[in-house]
Amino acid sequence: MPDLATRPMRGAAFLDRDGVLNLDIGYAHRAEQIQWVEGAAKAITLLNRQNLFVFVVTNQSGIARGFYSEEDVNRLHTWMTAELLSQGARIDAFAYCPHYSEGEIAAYREVCTCRKPAPGMLLTLMKEWPVTRETSFMIGDRDTDIAAAKAAGIRGHLFPGGNLLRFVTETLGL
Ligand SMILES: [Mg+2]
């Protein structure tokens, strides 16, 4: 975790995962299921160059539903981090919500404060990293992403699909 006292404050780009970085095939949890969205790595590199933190915030109710484990998710995110880094794109942190109120797995069956549209994942990252709220935003492909952004006090941009680099370039006016 970064030292809040010594690191300068920066804006953050909060990115949804499925449907923004990789095609949303439903409950992807292994590397071979990841089909990158066109322009995803280049979009992240651009955000890096804008001196923004890049965070991924993803609902993973597949854990509560018993489809896969937290270990699977962490392994996949480690792989995604490395794949992107090999293309010069840096993700600063991943956050995922493992809960679902009607899940099969009792340990994860709860109404939590982190499952989007709740803003818990964003708020936790804002607490743990030196984030400037005013210059931060979220990009997601669902209304629940936008609602989470609003609840966290930041702008939300709805990604309609297609090329993520183009969308980020146009959205940020670059
Ligand atoms: Mg999504």
Side-chain angles (χ1 to χ4, degrees):
M1 200 177 294
D3 183 347
L4 286 177
T6 58
R7 288 189 58 180
M9 303 282 286
R10 289 156 59 188
F14 294 88
L15 308 179
D16 176 42
R17 194 192 80 184
D18 301 326
V20 173
L21 296 184
N22 52 276
L23 301 182
D24 189 354
I25 62 162
Y27 304 108
H29 59 284
R30 294 193 309 270
E32 59 268 30
Q33 296 171 313
I34 297 299
Q35 299 168 258
W36 294 103
V37 164
E38 199 184 336
K42 286 194 168 79
I44 291 167
T45 302
L46 178 63
L47 296 168
N48 294 148
R49 289 191 183 137
Q50 296 296 310
N51 202 32
L52 295 160
F53 292 114
V54 178
F55 301 130
V56 176
V57 290
T58 176
N59 284 352
Q60 290 300 324
S61 71
I63 296 168
R65 295 174 203 264
F67 297 163
Y68 47 84
S69 68
E70 289 200 61
E71 194 184 350
D72 293 325
V73 171
N74 285 319
R75 189 182 305 119
L76 177 60
H77 290 173
T78 299
W79 178 84
M80 290 176 76
T81 299
E83 283 292 305
L84 290 166
L85 209 50
S86 75
Q87 299 175 68
R90 191 188 69 252
I91 303 272
D92 292 293
F94 277 84
Y96 62 88
C97 167
H99 307 113
Y100 183 54
S101 59
E102 289 162 49
E104 290 295 310
I105 312 294
Y108 300 110
R109 191 189 306 134
E110 62 173 277
V111 179
C112 62
T113 57
C114 51
R115 180 172 167 79
K116 295 174 288 183
M121 289 188 282
L122 289 76
L123 295 177
T124 298
L125 285 161
M126 286 177 179
K127 239 180 265 171
E128 292 179 347
W129 295 71
V131 172
T132 308
R133 194 175 300 232
E134 292 69 29
T135 48
S136 297
F137 56 88
M138 163 113 206
I139 295 174
D141 68 323
R142 295 197 186 185
D143 292 341
T144 45
D145 296 312
I146 307 309
K150 280 209 177 92
I154 63 172
R155 287 166 295 154
H157 302 295
L158 191 64
F159 176 54
N163 187 302
L164 187 64
L165 175 64
R166 190 176 308 139
F167 179 78
V168 167
T169 303
E170 286 170 5
T171 300
L172 300 186
L174 300 171

